Amino acid sequence: MPSASVRTRDLPAAVAAVGATALGAGLGELVAALVAPTASPFAVIGGGMIDIAPAWAKNLAISLFGTGDKAALLVGIAVLLLAVAGAAGVLEWHRPPWGRVVLGALGVVGAIVALTRSDAGMLSPVPSIVAAGVASAATAWLIGRLRRGPRSGLAADEGLTRRSVLALSGIAVAAGALAAAGSFALSSGARAVSAVRAALRLPTPTTTTDVPAAAELGIDGLSPVITPTADFYRIDTALVVPQVDPADWTLRVHGLVEQEVVLRWDDLLDLAPKETVATLTCVSNEVGGSLIGTARWLGVPLREVLARARPTAEADMVLSRSIDGFTASSPLEALTDDRDALLAIGMNGEPLPIEHGFPVRMVVPGLYGYVSATKWVTELEVTRYDRAEGYWTPRGWSERGPVKLQSRIDVPRAGARVEAGAAVIAGVAWQTHVGVSGVEVQIDDGAWQPATLAAAISADTWVQWSLAWEATSGSHTVRCRAISADGQTQTDAPAPPAPDGATGWHELTVTVA
């Protein structure tokens, strides 16, 4: 049975290890900024967790946190790390040196994961090793100080020892936070690429897509037909956003081709970019969800780039690869037919934002992003579906991802209170590269009523719709369904996003005063 003195030192021992681990983590981030920016310990662990996450876990994270899924993951990693550190501190107090062994093992795991990343370099393991080494050494020193205790044996002196260890642990946390802040300040690569982007002038497109005035219904609360860049959703696997200077960027086209092609930034600009408007959506988008947006994209048609390489007759897929190792499996046909599939360099009149793939990303109407929207793209491998697979396919998602027919109610919002009398129900509908010919709305169990469609920009974009409603007092259920340009009616069968996109009707409840 441990003595009361031993038990009362469990908490100081846990706090000491937490402080030591915070110091190690901060110094690890600082070392990463200096020698291996993509091997930040938090990014390495987080990236590894994303890599092994099954489809249901990815979908759960996005449904709970939306585009804040990465921030939530990093916070979760920090909480878990500190919990493990606290337990290691108690273990070190009772069974030395096993607490240090646990912390050291975390560093070994981080170093191994860093080496297995696609962008790993010789120095990639160093930040994780430094983090673990500092955490282990500082834990041993602080708990050793706690174990030595007061030489006089007086209770007051023992309390002073515990307080001094707690104070030193607090100093370690503060030092770790300062080191982490220093790592951010030293991210000169990010600042340099931001400066290059700010100074970049986009070429004039050879062709543009007109957005008719009638495409915008002008209803308060209805999603604008062109999504502002700041509001455009971001879903990808990059915890550390790649920083790619256009001067260093290359695109390699290889595989089942007659002629391998390598393009640089200036080569891409020489191919006469065009501007188009296209809607992109994530396969993780729930029915009625917000992981969808429409933008003006400036870029070079992928079919022109692939035509230079001359794919062979046996090819049926293009495996695009990001600089961070992400891959997407796109049907070759979708990149070479008449749709505006682009190597995009601009978004809404400006160079691509860095977090949206600067300097070059893929935009392919009609396909969910996980099989087409590769950001920071550096490679196109022309291949076959029976020879290769994209990042998400072995993780439970379908190898092909055509966008499904969907519609959403934006006005009124779920749970909203509406004044009785003249009101409006409005939203958006889409099935990119097919198009939408109609939307119907049902109120409670009444008949389906045809909504008024705004003018469509093209089959590759969503379309706004509205329905005048004479609202009566009480609680009402409102639902919508779309009709595609080829005559299909949106299914009412509910299905989750995994493995190939959600289905069902968007439905909400409205209270009329």
Side-chain angles (χ1 to χ4, degrees):
M1 190 77 180
S3 68
S5 176
V6 169
R7 289 196 302 272
T8 57
R9 291 188 187 177
D10 281 0
L11 180 59
V15 172
V18 166
T21 301
L23 175 62
L27 289 175
E29 295 295 316
L30 182 60
V31 170
L34 292 170
V35 302
T38 62
S40 147
F42 275 93
V44 164
I45 295 172
M49 293 177 69
I50 290 173
D51 285 350
I52 64 174
W56 65 264
K58 172 181 180 287
N59 187 54
L60 177 63
I62 292 174
S63 64
L64 290 174
F65 303 108
T67 55
D69 59 330
K70 294 176 183 60
L73 175 61
L74 291 174
V75 170
I77 291 171
V79 171
L80 179 61
L81 177 63
L82 295 180
V84 171
V90 175
L91 182 62
E92 179 70 17
W93 172 246
H94 290 289
R95 296 285 187 272
W98 288 107
R100 281 170 280 167
V101 170
V102 169
L103 295 176
L106 290 178
V108 171
V109 170
I112 293 172
V113 174
L115 280 173
T116 61
R117 303 292 290 172
S118 61
D119 51 0
M122 291 182 59
L123 298 178
S124 293
V126 172
S128 293
I129 292 173
V130 168
V134 170
S136 298
T139 295
W141 183 77
L142 287 170
I143 293 180
R145 183 182 178 90
L146 185 65
R147 181 173 284 108
R148 287 193 298 273
R151 294 181 181 179
S152 67
L154 296 176
D157 289 343
E158 184 173 346
L160 181 62
T161 299
R162 287 199 299 271
R163 286 195 296 273
S164 68
V165 170
L166 293 175
L168 289 169
S169 300
I171 293 172
V173 170
L178 285 174
S183 72
F184 178 79
L186 287 173
S187 298
S188 58
R191 292 197 301 272
V193 172
S194 294
V196 170
R197 178 186 176 273
L200 187 64
R201 295 296 175 263
L202 294 175
T204 302
T206 56
T207 61
T208 60
T209 299
D210 291 331
V211 177
E216 188 73 67
L217 294 178
I219 298 172
D220 287 344
L222 178 58
S223 299
V225 68
I226 301 295
T227 308
T229 301
D231 297 335
F232 207 95
Y233 78 95
R234 178 199 163 199
I235 298 291
D236 53 54
T237 62
L239 283 178
V240 177
V241 176
Q243 308 293 319
V244 184
D245 190 325
D248 299 326
W249 176 84
T250 61
L251 178 73
R252 180 185 175 215
V253 186
H254 66 105
L256 298 178
V257 297
E258 295 181 16
Q259 175 66 53
E260 182 171 317
V261 173
V262 176
L263 296 178
R264 297 188 178 276
W265 176 256
D266 289 341
D267 300 325
L268 195 65
L269 298 187
D270 288 341
L271 292 179
K274 64 181 297 185
E275 184 184 72
T276 190
V277 180
T279 297
L280 301 185
T281 184
C282 180
V283 71
S284 297
N285 199 33
E286 300 277 359
V287 172
S290 60
L291 300 181
I292 182 171
T294 301
R296 290 182 177 273
W297 304 99
L298 176 69
V300 172
L302 273 156
R303 60 177 171 270
E304 295 182 11
V305 173
L306 290 168
R308 288 190 167 200
R310 302 192 300 280
T312 62
E314 61 180 317
D316 64 4
M317 188 257 275
V318 173
L319 190 71
S320 54
R321 182 169 282 104
S322 168
I323 197 169
D324 70 345
F326 172 82
T327 55
S329 55
S330 306
L332 176 61
E333 180 184 10
L335 306 189
T336 55
D337 62 15
D338 61 349
R339 78 187 75 194
D340 285 333
L342 301 178
L343 287 170
I345 61 174
M347 180 180 183
N348 290 338
E350 297 182 347
L352 285 173
I354 294 174
E355 65 272 18
H356 284 289
F358 179 82
V360 184
R361 66 168 293 167
M362 289 173 58
V363 171
V364 185
L367 299 179
Y368 287 119
Y370 82 106
V371 294
S372 67
T374 304
K375 302 173 184 175
W376 314 287
V377 62
T378 60
E379 188 177 333
L380 301 177
E381 180 185 357
V382 181
T383 182
R384 293 181 53 82
Y385 278 103
D386 58 9
R387 298 182 188 177
E389 56 188 4
Y391 182 92
W392 286 114
T393 303
R395 293 166 173 83
W397 298 82
S398 297
E399 66 179 12
R400 303 169 190 249
V403 173
K404 295 182 176 179
L405 179 62
Q406 272 292 343
S407 56
R408 186 182 76 198
I409 302 168
D410 286 352
V411 180
R413 298 293 180 186
R417 292 182 63 85
V418 177
E419 296 295 325
V424 65
I425 302 169
V428 289
W430 64 91
Q431 188 178 21
T432 48
H433 202 58
V434 175
V436 172
S437 63
V439 172
E440 296 177 329
V441 179
Q442 185 183 51
I443 301 168
D444 299 323
D445 294 320
W448 286 96
Q449 304 175 57
T452 299
L453 289 187
I457 300 172
S458 75
D460 290 341
T461 66
W462 63 8
V463 61
Q464 295 182 345
W465 58 265
S466 69
L467 175 74
W469 176 34
E470 191 64 29
T472 58
S473 297
S475 179
H476 298 280
T477 299
V478 182
R479 58 183 64 89
C480 64
R481 67 185 184 189
I483 302 169
S484 69
D486 58 9
Q488 301 299 311
T489 299
Q490 180 182 337
T491 180
D492 64 338
D500 59 0
T503 61
W505 294 337
H506 188 207
E507 177 181 299
L508 53 82
T509 300
V510 178
T511 300
V512 178

